[in-house]
Amino acid sequence: MQEFLQQLINGLAVGGLYALIALGYTMVYGVLKLINFAHGELFALGAYLGLTLLTALGLAGGGPAAVALILLFAMGLVALAGYLLERVAYRPLRGSGRLTAVVSALGASIFFQNAMMLVFGAKARVYPGGILSGEVFTLLGAQIPATRILLLASSLLLMLLLYWFIHHTRTGAAVRAVSLDQGAARLMGIDVNRVISLVFLIGPALGAAAGVMAGLLYGQIKYDMGVLYGLKAFTAAILGGIGNIPGAMAGGILLGVIEALGAAYISIAWKDAIAFCLLILILIFRPTGLLGERTADKV
Amino acid sequence: MIAARRSLLSWSAFFASLAALPPLLPLLGVDGGGAVQIGVLNDIGIYLILALSLNIILGHAGIFHMGHTAFFAVGAYAAAILNTSCGWPILSALPVAGLLAALLAFLVAVPVIRLRGDYLLVVTIGVVEIVRICLVNNIFGLTGGANGIAGIGRAVILGRRLTTPADIFYLIWSFAALSVLLFSLLENSRFGRALNYIREDEVAAAGCGINTGRHKIQAFVLGAFWAGMAGTLFAVKTRLVDPESFTFSESVMLFAIVILGGAGSMAGIVLGTFLLIGLQEIFRDFLEARMLVFGAAMVAMMIFRPQGLLPARARRYDTGGRTGASPGAAGREKKPGPPAGNGAAGT
């Protein structure tokens, strides 16, 4: 029970990160029907920018307020990177085939990854420890570090904000309209290009937040960390039903928990394989995901 | 037929001039008798065989497959295990390695082949990762974990042990030439034409009586079979197989060779392999910047030349004058219309 609770909390904390990254995949897929392979790299970029700001501003001992500030900075900068990515690598390909855009996304991913390696170095970098409280709660005998709770809470907060924005604002309604039917949205007077740009600001910003949080959670970041996280977050997006925003949140958290429990009770060595097996099984048996709607588009 | 003869001639010239390289390089005074250059050409040869086999799947059938390394890995490990544990001569493992890779491909393909393009892409990426994790975790106690399998015996052909890079060179490039020959026959066969039809319009192809699912699975399995045999050649060359040789980024590289060279075009793929693998070796000193440039080039290519460097030409057939054209006109170069066949632009 104690072990289970411990793993559950671990899983929820990691799942929150997966969910934040998955939101970027799912929103882009919603409006462009494109798997943004460079999204994982934007997540890693967020982690690096967070660390750079943290050390440059000397905020390593600043507590949660400093972390929040860093988080916002990193989110803003990565949002800009996401915007540029769409303008340079995806917008010129609008209307050409799916494969063309996918290859462009792969190229952008390789570009970002190696740019980060050149700028930040090929070795893993260490996040300063104990920025957030080092306190550890004891709940029913399970040891729960306060950092995990704080991270889980912040990712949930970001998700709630996004949910509110998408479902309760005019702009959010425009995003939903574009993902339903681009042509019809345009006829209704929605500026589709602006909506797509907006999605490429929001998605990467959430990814960057996840990047900083991953640094705080694990204490170590590496230039190629975006690949594995990206693939897993994409799995989470599929799990929840790609294009579906609450689905990505649920899928991310579920994947984090499944992985943590699988690692604890099956074998830690097979942890990464669990996510990919899950991905294949979902695509075979329920390609619309858990919360995905049935669509006319044949999968 | 004139076009076919011309292409046969240029392929023969290409392989003949390559074959002349190992004795020529020392004569030209290249450092160390050109062993380094031959080594690079060996790498290029293996990638070429892999890219040609991927071309059947990705270029001709239009299946978004980014997991080719998985089949390559299965072939390499199968050969390594048969050689080191069962004492088979390494080259006799060639067909078995191919068959095992084909078996894996069949098991993967049957449930997922009907998925839409980009979903299939993700499944194949998942397969590469699963295979690599299995190798790292020393599955069935056979794969040697992260260290892989060392001590693979040398290949022997007609009593001759292949010891120098030049020996390996002739082995790999003979196989590459054989691949070009067989795949060009396949391309122009009924099967090859059916695959192209499926790539261009799956519904119409099904309407014309092509069993699309079966054809796609056959293309997938055939490509994997060939990749498995390429894996054996890799084991012959390196005499050591480890999981790090079969990562997702190798798959991306193969995918990029086919797309950037020209999907469905063998000349394009040869060019793509030489450019991507060859330049990578030449610019080893700029190790860090070269992949940056490569990524940017991939984006630029998709914007400015999505059909690849040397795109496949539209097929032309000699109608024997039955359509009213004089028989001599069939071989003459007509201005080609928009290339009907290139997977890069298709959706």
Side-chain angles (χ1 to χ4, degrees), chain B residues 161-185:
Chain B
R161 275 160 60 88
L162 306 184
T163 49
T164 64
D167 293 339
I168 307 287
F169 173 89
Y170 285 114
L171 173 69
I172 290 176
W173 282 94
S174 320
F175 198 83
L178 179 72
S179 309
V180 167
L181 178 69
L182 292 182
F183 283 133
S184 68
L185 291 175

Side-chain angles (χ1 to χ4, degrees), chain B residues 52-77:
Chain B
L52 287 171
S53 66
L54 178 61
N55 185 37
I56 290 297
I57 304 172
L58 173 65
H60 285 292
I63 301 168
F64 294 6
H65 169 44
M66 210 186 278
H68 217 46
T69 316
F71 308 134
F72 181 44
V74 168
Y77 268 85

Side-chain angles (χ1 to χ4, degrees), chain A residues 4-287:
Chain A
F4 178 78
L5 199 64
Q6 186 102 45
Q7 295 303 338
L8 188 67
I9 299 282
N10 289 349
L12 286 174
V14 181
L17 301 187
Y18 288 158
L20 283 179
I21 312 171
L23 283 168
Y25 279 108
T26 226
M27 287 175 71
V28 167
Y29 196 91
V31 295
L32 282 185
K33 304 285 171 275
L34 161 74
I35 301 173
N36 180 11
F37 274 103
H39 190 59
E41 270 58 51
L42 294 174
F43 152 83
L45 182 64
Y48 271 106
L49 288 178
L51 178 61
T52 309
L53 289 166
L54 207 59
T55 40
L57 301 178
L59 288 174
V67 171
L69 186 72
I70 298 297
L71 203 64
L72 288 178
F73 258 119
M75 284 170 77
L77 288 173
V78 174
L80 193 69
Y83 174 80
L84 290 175
L85 168 71
E86 192 266 334
R87 288 305 290 258
V88 174
Y90 302 149
R91 188 165 297 184
L93 297 173
R94 208 78 67 67
S96 48
R98 263 191 169 134
L99 185 58
T100 319
V102 163
V103 176
S104 183
L106 280 171
S109 153
I110 294 174
F111 177 84
F112 271 119
Q113 209 183 96
N114 288 279
M116 281 190 287
M117 188 177 79
L118 284 174
V119 176
F120 301 111
K123 278 196 216 129
R125 298 270 295 267
V126 180
Y127 256 69
I131 307 169
L132 292 169
S133 133
E135 232 175 293
V136 177
F137 297 110
T138 311
L139 182 73
L140 295 171
Q143 303 279 306
I144 298 158
T147 312
R148 299 227 163 134
I149 304 290
L150 210 57
L151 291 179
L152 180 60
S154 343
S155 46
L156 287 176
L157 179 73
L158 284 171
M159 284 186 246
L160 281 176
L161 272 175
L162 179 75
Y163 188 82
W164 170 81
F165 172 75
I166 294 291
H167 286 270
H168 296 278
T169 64
R170 266 180 81 81
T171 325
V175 174
R176 276 181 289 144
V178 172
S179 35
L180 272 179
D181 188 331
Q182 236 182 69
R186 189 174 284 121
L187 290 177
M188 295 299 122
I190 293 171
D191 185 343
V192 172
N193 276 335
R194 270 185 64 179
V195 168
I196 289 171
S197 285
L198 182 71
V199 163
F200 271 94
L201 288 170
I202 298 176
L206 293 175
V212 176
M213 291 184 193
L216 293 169
L217 186 62
Y218 292 113
Q220 233 192 27
I221 56 175
K222 200 158 180 267
Y223 74 96
D224 60 358
M225 70 199 265
V227 178
L228 194 60
Y229 274 92
L231 283 175
K232 287 197 186 156
F234 183 75
T235 304
I238 299 253
L239 184 61
I242 191 136
N244 181 315
I245 289 174
M249 302 178 187
I253 296 203
L254 193 61
L255 181 67
V257 171
I258 292 174
E259 222 183 60
L261 295 180
Y265 293 106
I266 301 174
S267 152
I268 185 120
W270 293 94
K271 181 176 153 236
D272 293 335
I274 293 170
F276 296 119
C277 290
L278 195 67
L279 172 71
I280 293 177
L281 291 178
I282 296 245
L283 283 176
I284 296 171
F285 294 109
R286 200 177 156 81

Side-chain angles (χ1 to χ4, degrees), chain B:
Chain B
M1 286 301 101
I2 293 172
R5 204 173 300 150
R6 196 185 294 151
S7 115
L8 185 67
L9 260 176
S10 44
W11 281 114
S12 313
F14 170 72
F15 283 110
S17 50
L18 267 175
L21 276 180
L24 261 178
L25 283 177
L27 293 180
L28 293 172
V30 181
D31 290 346
V36 178
Q37 285 76 3
I38 297 294
V40 172
L41 284 172
N42 288 349
D43 285 341
I44 294 178
I46 293 213
Y47 270 95
L48 178 61
I49 297 165
L50 283 171
L52 287 171
S53 66
L54 178 61
N55 185 37
I56 290 297
I57 304 172
L58 173 65
H60 285 292
I63 301 168
F64 294 6
H65 169 44
M66 210 186 278
H68 217 46
T69 316
F71 308 134
F72 181 44
V74 168
Y77 268 85
I81 291 165
L82 286 173
N83 178 257
T84 54
S85 304
C86 313
W88 289 34
I90 183 87
L91 283 177
S92 64
L94 197 69
V96 182
L99 285 174
L100 283 172
L103 179 68
L104 175 70
F106 182 74
L107 294 177
V108 170
V110 166
V112 303
I113 203 78
R114 283 183 187 282
L115 288 173
R116 202 181 55 207
D118 35 8
Y119 282 72
L120 196 62
L121 188 81
V122 176
V123 170
T124 56
I125 295 172
V127 171
V128 178
E129 279 300 303
I130 292 173
V131 166
R132 198 183 59 84
I133 293 167
C134 288
L135 296 178
V136 171
N137 286 336
N138 197 7
I139 191 167
F140 311 131
L142 283 173
T143 65
N147 296 325
I149 300 172
I152 297 165
R154 292 212 183 268
V156 180
I157 292 180
L158 303 174
R160 182 189 158 94
R161 275 160 60 88
L162 306 184
T163 49
T164 64
D167 293 339
I168 307 287
F169 173 89
Y170 285 114
L171 173 69
I172 290 176
W173 282 94
S174 320
F175 198 83
L178 179 72
S179 309
V180 167
L181 178 69
L182 292 182
F183 283 133
S184 68
L185 291 175
L186 188 80
E187 258 177 35
N188 294 305
S189 68
R190 190 185 170 88
F191 178 70
R193 288 194 305 273
L195 290 184
N196 288 174
Y197 199 178
I198 292 171
R199 176 190 66 200
E200 296 304 324
D201 191 334
E202 196 167 338
V203 177
C208 289
I210 294 171
N211 185 337
T212 56
R214 184 194 281 174
H215 274 80
K216 281 160 90 175
I217 291 174
Q218 283 168 345
F220 203 75
V221 169
L222 181 68
F225 175 69
W226 219 257
M229 295 205 288
T232 307
L233 294 180
F234 178 80
V236 169
K237 180 180 78 94
T238 57
R239 303 178 62 217
L240 164 95
V241 292
D242 67 342
E244 281 317 295
S245 309
F246 307 104
T247 57
F248 171 53
S249 57
E250 301 296 316
S251 281
V252 172
M253 186 58 92
L254 285 171
F255 193 85
I257 288 174
V258 174
I259 298 292
L260 300 187
S265 141
M266 278 204 284
I269 284 163
V270 172
L271 179 67
T273 316
F274 269 87
L275 276 179
L276 264 57
I277 306 301
L279 287 183
Q280 186 178 336
E281 296 295 333
I282 292 168
F283 290 111
R284 270 221 179 272
D285 297 342
F286 308 98
L287 195 73
E288 293 174 323
R290 65 176 191 195
M291 289 305 282
L292 188 81
V293 175
F294 172 54
M298 263 170 90
V299 175
M301 274 289 288
M302 286 305 105
I303 295 172
F304 299 111
R305 202 177 162 79
Q307 70 273 38
L309 292 170
L310 284 180
R313 286 214 226 128
R315 295 175 194 284
R316 277 194 295 278
Y317 290 99
D318 192 339
T319 55
R322 262 168 293 165
T323 56
S326 66
R332 202 193 300 149
E333 290 288 307
K334 275 182 232 150
K335 179 132 179 96
N342 63 78
T347 51

